């Protein structure tokens, strides 16, 4: 028998929110294809994600997206070693489309099925373009639904150091964008508007959580922005959107950087990564880069396409689960409020 090492090729599916995505990933870090069908245009009409419309769009697009992912990788279903899918957290109807599809494909093609935690996927996105990155490292996960400061102790082993007590960072961006009339999705719109503004024009509060220095709170800064806008209206002072956007963005990113630096200092782990949609934010990326450089910390971040929702990151996370022998049964179900590190049964 030949002693050559076999490649592991995984078809990954992601449908937890408003992107229908499929990817083919070889050996965890080599993305052979990464297809994303975004629903942004649809949800923009309503100012935010409408869950039922998201599910309906996923079911319309999912087969096409998977076919494109296989074609772009120049592979067939038969070439896959496993089928992976996000099974939580996320919108239940949206998750169910991906989970049902993955189960049908894996069952008919007789392939192992691997359910993946969406946030683990975001964290694992850092492995794709950083071949040298290995655990342990710290990761700040900042998405539309989550804000977590995590210690990645090993592949698939996560310890949560801090989390948001109320709104997620991305959620705050989305709500503030709506309040100043920038529309959905808020993050990129705030970032763009902020380029013309003064980040020191308005002093918005940075919440400190006294009993856990790594926890976050963003509802206070969001309310402060809303109060500021109301105050301007009442006093008939002009509302300068660019200054509000820049000052709000500074308040949020300053806190994210401060907490990450505190965690780096205390843990003595000299590697920090960022992940999730808000990790695409240039001010956060540059601020974190500078803070890390000053302290001699190695800093990792995915390119923006791997920050926002995609299936390549799910294929990467699935690879390490595959190696550790994790497999799911045909009873895999969507878990909308799945916790990081939560066991399947
Ligand atoms: O990770 P993601 O695509 O989906 C979730 O898992 O939630 O994150 C989406 C979030 C949204 O709140 C969006 O406004 C935010 O990421 N976002 C940004 C930027 N791009 C996306 N926030 C700040 N700056 C950006 N450039
Ligand atoms: Zn996400």
């Amino acid at each position: 028998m030949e002693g050559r090492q076999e490649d592991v090729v995984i078809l990954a599916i992601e449908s937890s929110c408003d992107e229908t995505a499929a990817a083919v990933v070889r050996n965890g870090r080599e993305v052979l294809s990464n297809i994303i069908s975004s629903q942004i245009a649809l949800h923009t009409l309503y100012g935010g994600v409408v869950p039922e419309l998201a599910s309906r769009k996923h079911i319309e697009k999912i087969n096409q997206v998977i076919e494109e992912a296989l074609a772009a990788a120049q592979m067939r279903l038969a070439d896959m070693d496993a089928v992976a899918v996000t099974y939580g957290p996320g919108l239940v109807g949206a998750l169910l489309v991906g989970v049902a599809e993955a189960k049908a494909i894996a069952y008919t093609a007789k392939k192992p099925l691997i359910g993946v935690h969406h946030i683990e996927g975001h964290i694992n996105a850092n492995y794709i373009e950083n071949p040298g990155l290995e655990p342990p490292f710290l990761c700040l996960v900042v998405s539309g639904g989550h804000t977590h400061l995590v210690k990645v102790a090993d592949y698939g082993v996560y310890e949560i150091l801090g989390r948001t007590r109320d709104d997620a960072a991305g959620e705050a961006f989305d709500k503030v964008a709506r309040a100043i009339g920038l529309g959905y999705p808020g993050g990129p719109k705030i970032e763009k508007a902020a380029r013309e503004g003064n980040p020191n024009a308005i002093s918005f509060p940075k919440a400190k959580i006294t009993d856990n220095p790594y926890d976050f709170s963003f509802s206070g800064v969001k309310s402060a922005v809303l109060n500021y806008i109301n105050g301007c209206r009442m006093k008939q002072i002009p509302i300068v959107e660019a200054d509000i956007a820049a000052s709000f963005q500074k308040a949020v990113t300053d806190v994210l950087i401060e907490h990450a630096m505190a965690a780096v200092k205390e843990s003595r782990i000299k590697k920090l990564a960022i992940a999730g949609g808000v990790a695409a934010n240039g001010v956060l990326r540059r601020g974190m880069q500078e803070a890390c450089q000053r302290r001699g910390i190695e800093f990792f971040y995915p390119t923006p396409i791997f920050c926002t929702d995609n299936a390549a990151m799910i294929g990467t996370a699935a690879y390490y689960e595959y190696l550790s022998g994790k497999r799911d049964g045909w009873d895999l179900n969507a878990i909308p409020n799945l916790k990081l590190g939560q066991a399947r049964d």
Side-chain angles (χ1 to χ4, degrees), residues 3-73:
R4 92 193 150 91
Q5 204 187 333
E6 293 288 336
D7 284 336
V8 175
V9 185
I10 295 180
L11 170 67
I13 299 169
E14 153 66 41
S15 71
S16 66
C17 190
D18 58 349
E19 326 278 0
T20 319
V24 176
V25 179
R26 181 156 56 201
N27 299 331
R29 300 192 186 222
E30 196 186 340
V31 177
L32 302 183
S33 65
N34 185 37
I35 307 295
I36 303 168
S37 170
S38 172
Q39 303 180 358
I40 284 180
L42 170 70
H43 298 293
T44 298
L45 303 172
Y46 303 91
V49 178
V50 182
E52 187 186 323
L53 294 184
S55 311
R56 288 177 177 277
K57 207 60 179 173
H58 285 312
I59 210 140
E60 207 179 293
K61 292 285 181 188
I62 198 153
N63 278 322
Q64 187 190 328
V65 164
I66 292 169
E67 254 177 37
E68 277 182 43
L70 287 168

Side-chain angles (χ1 to χ4, degrees), residues 11-324:
L11 170 67
I13 299 169
E14 153 66 41
S15 71
S16 66
C17 190
D18 58 349
E19 326 278 0
T20 319
V24 176
V25 179
R26 181 156 56 201
N27 299 331
R29 300 192 186 222
E30 196 186 340
V31 177
L32 302 183
S33 65
N34 185 37
I35 307 295
I36 303 168
S37 170
S38 172
Q39 303 180 358
I40 284 180
L42 170 70
H43 298 293
T44 298
L45 303 172
Y46 303 91
V49 178
V50 182
E52 187 186 323
L53 294 184
S55 311
R56 288 177 177 277
K57 207 60 179 173
H58 285 312
I59 210 140
E60 207 179 293
K61 292 285 181 188
I62 198 153
N63 278 322
Q64 187 190 328
V65 164
I66 292 169
E67 254 177 37
E68 277 182 43
L70 287 168
Q74 297 185 310
M75 288 194 163
R76 293 160 307 136
L77 197 49
D79 301 322
M80 300 298 118
D81 292 288
V83 177
V85 64
T86 305
Y87 74 111
L91 302 169
V92 67
L95 288 164
L96 282 170
V97 174
V99 169
E101 177 86 6
K103 285 164 83 166
I105 289 179
Y107 181 77
T108 48
K110 298 190 172 55
K111 302 290 180 187
L113 174 70
I114 302 173
V116 174
H117 191 292
H118 181 76
I119 300 301
E120 288 190 26
H122 275 303
I123 295 170
N124 280 254
N126 279 285
Y127 293 133
I128 297 171
E129 297 147 300
N130 295 304
L133 175 62
E134 286 189 20
F137 62 94
L138 296 183
C139 187
L140 173 73
V141 187
V142 272
S143 73
H146 298 84
T147 305
H148 281 23
L149 196 47
V150 180
K151 177 178 165 186
V152 182
D154 202 345
Y155 290 105
V157 182
Y158 307 94
E159 190 186 314
I160 297 172
L161 306 178
R163 53 158 61 84
T164 182
R165 296 282 178 96
D166 39 57
D167 291 352
E171 193 179 350
F173 269 93
D174 293 336
K175 287 178 178 169
V176 166
R178 196 174 309 152
I180 54 179
L182 296 175
Y184 161 89
K189 300 250 167 98
I190 296 256
E191 183 173 6
K192 188 157 178 262
R195 284 192 200 121
E196 314 295 324
N198 173 6
N200 300 312
I202 311 152
S203 167
F204 290 127
K206 296 179 203 166
K208 281 260 176 276
I209 309 286
T210 44
D211 55 346
N212 182 351
Y214 306 138
D215 274 358
F216 302 93
S217 166
F218 294 109
S219 69
V221 61
K222 174 200 67 189
S223 304
V225 173
L226 301 183
N227 290 341
Y228 175 82
I229 294 171
N230 286 336
C232 288
R233 286 203 181 112
M234 272 161 57
K235 292 180 220 150
Q236 296 187 321
I237 299 170
I239 296 168
V240 185
E241 284 157 15
D243 283 350
I244 299 176
S247 302
F248 161 78
Q249 182 173 254
K250 179 172 167 39
V252 172
T253 52
D254 278 357
V255 166
L256 294 172
I257 294 167
E258 279 165 26
H259 287 206
M261 289 306 114
V264 159
K265 192 172 170 202
E266 187 155 318
S267 70
R268 300 201 188 156
I269 294 176
K270 296 184 94 54
K271 283 189 270 183
L272 174 74
I274 54 172
V278 183
N281 184 279
V283 171
L284 177 65
R285 291 157 87 91
R286 285 190 295 277
M288 204 66 102
Q289 174 97 65
E290 280 167 25
C292 284
Q293 244 162 23
R294 274 201 302 275
R295 292 166 178 83
I297 308 294
E298 249 188 300
F299 178 52
F300 302 88
Y301 49 92
T303 48
I305 197 69
F306 295 128
C307 287
T308 46
D309 288 349
N310 67 87
M313 66 185 195
I314 303 303
T316 301
Y319 171 73
Y320 293 105
E321 302 226 346
Y322 181 92
L323 291 188
S324 72

